[in-house]
Amino acid sequence: MPCIVYEDAGDGVARVLLDRPEQRNAQSPRLLYDLDAAFLRAATDEGVRVIVLAAAGTDFSSGHDLKSELELPGPPTATLTGPTSERGPAERQFAFECEAYLGLCRRWREIPKPTIAEVQGRVIAGGLMLIWPLDLVVAADDAVFSDPVTAFGLNGGEYFAHAWEFGARKAKELLFTGDHITATEAKALGMVNHVVPASELTSFTMSLARRIATRPPHGLRLAKMSVNRSLDAQGLQGAIDVAFALHQAGHANNLVRYGDLVDPTGYEAIRAGARAAARGPSVP
């Protein structure tokens, strides 16, 4: 797995590491499907009771790798999407994102074992889709979170759980401004479970994972299903479907106006926001 490191950490815990630090773990299709293969390996290993997702380097993920070819690197695993190369650009993008973005997120959300995201540095846009489907989030005190893609003429990331993760008004503010929030703010909003010093991030996360791994697996599975279905009963899945459709409308509009999937004027605004996030907390 060229983009992923898989480790059996012992005591019933599997540790999966995003391993593109030079690209700040930007998500190429190859990385996403290597990650899916790692999750499948852990999910089907009877010796694994808890799965931890971490990342190499200073940043957890800078989002989608916009320089990558948006083609499936192999057979679909989340949907029945077929080859996309012969379709028109809007149809091709829709099919690709149904499978590689929204489809994989929903697949990972239903892994029948507890999952924990171990997060440091910047988590930007598509980076959120790697942590929101997971069950718990442990963040280093240097972690910051943002979804600035309204600058691209889009409504937000493809897995649109923003109102549930941030709360409705904070979600609107972050989407409207492109600002980021700190780990401490994210914990206050309920998006993050624990904030720890960066030097203690891995040890704390692994201790939590090992503690959970001592519980009966079937009880953990039933508890996870119960909470997920509670969120679904609140309308989460339907809201994600609507927002995903609006996201595709944004792509189609950009193709007509700019000949590109995104508004090209947004690149510098998003880069500026990422640089600001690296410097520290945003100004209220």
Side-chain angles (χ1 to χ4, degrees), residues 62-87:
S62 60
H64 298 320
D65 186 348
L66 299 181
K67 297 179 180 179
S68 296
E69 291 293 327
L70 297 183
E71 292 292 339
L72 303 182
T77 60
T79 67
L80 296 179
T81 298
T84 62
S85 58
E86 297 181 1
R87 308 183 187 197

Side-chain angles (χ1 to χ4, degrees), residues 30 47 62 75 213 254 284:
R30 179 76 272 165
S62 60
N254 287 332

